[in-house]
């Protein structure tokens, strides 16, 4: 496999992972009543709704605008200040569209463009670092949302069987 093919596989994998994480976020958010979607454990914690807004802002700023060149003005404090209840499907549809746009940007980057420098959120980063940041950040908050949903609803949300193999639909690749 050539380096270019490996980079293309990696780009597809990142886009697929963002979509899988989004699907898990949507699964969790839809299990919550509106008051639970916007509830906070304490003043130092965010709600699931706030994390959905935050991920939308982060991915749109770093990938869609930062690497893709779209116009976007982010109000990061508003992502955390919102107390809702904004409708679940509204915030999920916004995040879903952002994930789709980000996937298109990520998979369209030429391998050489991954070394290009960008200034995003005041940081000078390569495109590769920006993609890595977003994938890691998205996954981190997905785990928080899963944990919060388990705590609120007392449900098993495992995506793995007893042998540790990822449960997939229709034999799809786990990553």
């Amino acid at each position: 496999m050539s380096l270019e093919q490996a980079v293309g596989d990696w780009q597809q994998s990142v886009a697929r992972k963002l979509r899988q994480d989004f699907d898990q976020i949507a699964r969790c958010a839809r299990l919550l009543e509106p008051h639970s979607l916007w509830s906070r454990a304490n003043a130092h914690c965010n709600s699931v709704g706030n994390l959905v807004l935050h991920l939308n802002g982060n991915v749109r700023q770093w990938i869609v605008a930062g690497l893709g060149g779209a116009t976007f003005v982010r109000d990061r404090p508003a992502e955390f200040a919102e107390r809702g209840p904004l409708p679940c499907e509204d915030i999920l549809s916004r995040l879903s569209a952002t994930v789709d746009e980000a996937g298109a940007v990520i998979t369209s980057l030429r391998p050489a463009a991954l070394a290009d420098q960008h200034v995003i959120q005041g940081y000078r980063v390569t495109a590769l670092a920006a993609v890595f940041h977003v994938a890691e950040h998205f996954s981190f908050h997905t785990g928080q949302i899963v944990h919060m949903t388990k705590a609120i609803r007392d449900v098993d949300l495992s995506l793995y069987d007893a042998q540790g193999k990822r449960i997939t639909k229709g034999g799809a690749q786990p990553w």
Side-chain angles (χ1 to χ4, degrees):
M1 175 182 290
S2 72
L3 179 58
E4 190 166 295
Q5 289 171 317
V7 169
D9 285 353
W10 171 79
Q11 290 167 301
Q12 291 292 328
S13 178
V14 171
R16 191 169 42 250
K17 181 67 171 131
L18 288 173
R19 175 50 56 186
Q20 288 173 341
D21 282 350
F22 169 80
D23 290 344
Q24 183 71 322
I25 289 168
R27 175 183 178 212
C28 290
R30 290 179 177 128
L31 287 172
L32 300 175
E33 297 295 327
H35 71 277
S36 295
L37 182 69
W38 293 98
S39 69
R40 297 165 180 248
N42 60 55
H44 303 286
C45 292
N46 290 303
S47 69
V48 169
N50 290 113
L51 292 176
V52 171
L53 295 176
H54 173 60
L55 287 171
N56 187 65
N58 176 267
V59 175
R60 189 156 286 283
Q61 181 180 30
W62 280 75
I63 303 297
V64 178
L67 300 183
T71 301
F72 179 66
V73 177
R74 183 176 182 192
D75 185 355
R76 189 174 185 277
E79 298 161 13
F80 299 108
E82 180 62 53
R83 294 300 190 259
L86 299 177
C88 180
E89 290 306 318
D90 289 355
I91 63 173
L92 288 176
S93 68
R94 283 188 264 164
L95 182 56
S96 180
T98 297
V99 167
D100 287 344
E101 291 175 56
V105 169
I106 291 165
T107 58
S108 72
L109 292 170
R110 297 175 340 279
L114 292 170
D116 291 349
Q117 295 281 315
H118 300 266
V119 177
I120 305 171
Q121 199 173 318
Y123 300 102
R124 178 170 288 288
V125 296
T126 63
L128 179 64
V131 172
F132 182 78
H133 161 76
V134 165
E136 179 273 331
H137 183 252
F138 205 96
S139 186
F140 173 79
H141 286 310
T142 299
Q144 287 182 311
I145 290 168
V146 169
H147 180 266
M148 293 162 70
T149 303
K150 286 179 174 183
I152 292 167
R153 289 295 311 267
D154 189 19
V155 293
D156 178 9
L157 297 171
S158 181
L159 295 176
Y160 296 88
D161 67 16
Q163 289 74 43
K165 301 244 184 202
R166 187 170 172 97
I167 301 166
T168 61
K169 295 179 186 173
Q173 289 185 358
W175 307 109

